[in-house]
Amino acid sequence: LKLRRTELGNEDGKVADVHVALGHAYSDQKIYFEAGRHFSSGLTILEQTGEPSDPRFMQLLYLLGKTQFKDGHSTSAKIHLDRFVQLRNVHGYEREIDYVKAMCILGKISDRAGDKRGAREKILVAQKTYALRNMGSSSKNMSVGKDLVRTMKDVGSEEDGPGPGEPQKHKSRSKPKRSILKTSR
C-alpha cells in the first residue's frame, strides 16, 4: 500500500484496489473493523475519482455495508446498503446476488429496529429477485437462499404482529361456541 501511494498518490484507482484487497483479506479473517476501514478508504478514493455508476463503487458500498453489519454497526450499514440499493435501481448492477444479500441484511436491520412490515417487504423483494433470477444454481447462491428463508422465519409472518403504524389486531376473547349436536362415543 505504501509503495502504491508513493508511486500513484492517495487518489488513484489502483490504490483503491489495494484497499479493497486488504479489506477482503481482513474480512476473510473476520476482522471486520479493519476490513471496514479499508473498504471505506477505497470508497473514498473512488468517490473522488469515479462515477457513482462504476460497478466498483457500488460493490464497495455493498461490501462496506455488509462488513459494518457484521461488526455490529447497523446504522452505518443501513446508510451504505440503502445507497447501494438506490444506485443499483438507477444504474443497474451485474451482481444481482449482492442486491439480494443487501436486501436481506436491510430486512434484518428493519426487524431489529422493530419495523416488521419493512423487514417483511425487504425480504420479499430479496426472495422475488432470487427466484426470478434463478440464483439457486450454485452452492454459494444456495446458502443465500437458505439465509433468506431463515430470515423470513425470524422476521415472522403478518400474524406475528403489526409493523409500526399498523393497527393492533385484537383476538376475540369469547369462548368458542359449542355444538348443540351430541356426538356419539
Side-chain angles (χ1 to χ4, degrees):
L1 184 59
K2 282 183 183 181
L3 182 62
R4 286 279 187 199
R5 281 186 181 152
T6 303
E7 287 180 24
L8 304 169
N10 273 340
E11 297 176 9
D12 185 82
K14 290 182 181 178
V15 175
D17 291 340
V18 173
H19 279 293
V20 172
L22 288 169
H24 281 294
Y26 281 113
S27 184
D28 289 346
Q29 297 299 314
K30 297 183 180 5
I31 305 172
Y32 299 119
F33 175 78
E34 287 297 321
R37 195 170 64 81
H38 284 288
F39 289 144
S40 182
S41 293
L43 184 65
T44 300
I45 292 168
L46 288 181
E47 280 180 314
Q48 295 169 355
T49 63
E51 292 291 317
S53 62
D54 180 346
R56 294 184 314 160
F57 181 78
M58 286 193 275
Q59 184 184 29
L60 272 175
L61 283 171
Y62 163 71
L63 289 170
L64 184 55
K66 179 178 86 167
T67 301
Q68 288 173 331
F69 178 75
K70 287 182 176 183
D71 200 29
H73 302 286
S74 294
T75 304
S76 55
K78 182 180 181 330
I79 290 167
H80 289 97
L81 292 172
D82 279 340
R83 189 169 174 203
F84 164 76
V85 167
Q86 179 188 21
L87 288 172
R88 177 259 181 204
N89 289 341
V90 171
H91 300 291
Y93 185 68
E94 61 190 41
R95 290 182 41 88
E96 285 291 291
I97 196 70
D98 290 348
Y99 173 70
V100 170
K101 291 176 189 176
M103 292 303 291
C104 186
I105 292 169
L106 287 168
K108 290 175 184 180
I109 292 170
S110 293
D111 183 50
R112 290 177 185 174
D115 181 7
K116 292 281 189 190
R117 175 188 270 174
R120 283 190 294 268
E121 288 172 359
K122 287 170 180 65
I123 299 303
L124 288 173
V125 167
Q127 287 178 325
K128 182 179 177 182
T129 304
Y130 182 84
L132 290 175
R133 301 285 193 251
N134 194 19
M135 293 181 182
S137 57
S138 75
S139 61
K140 187 174 184 178
N141 289 357
M142 286 176 65
S143 70
V144 173
K146 289 177 184 177
D147 189 35
L148 281 171
V149 171
R150 258 192 319 274
T151 302
M152 192 55 154
K153 285 181 182 177
D154 291 345
V155 168
S157 64
E158 289 189 35
E159 291 82 42
D160 292 343
E166 293 178 328
Q168 182 74 26
K169 294 179 185 175
H170 296 285
K171 294 182 179 179
S172 173
R173 294 179 191 247
S174 63
K175 294 181 182 179
K177 294 181 182 177
R178 292 188 180 173
S179 173
I180 57 172
L181 301 174
K182 291 187 178 185
T183 56
S184 59
R185 293 185 186 189

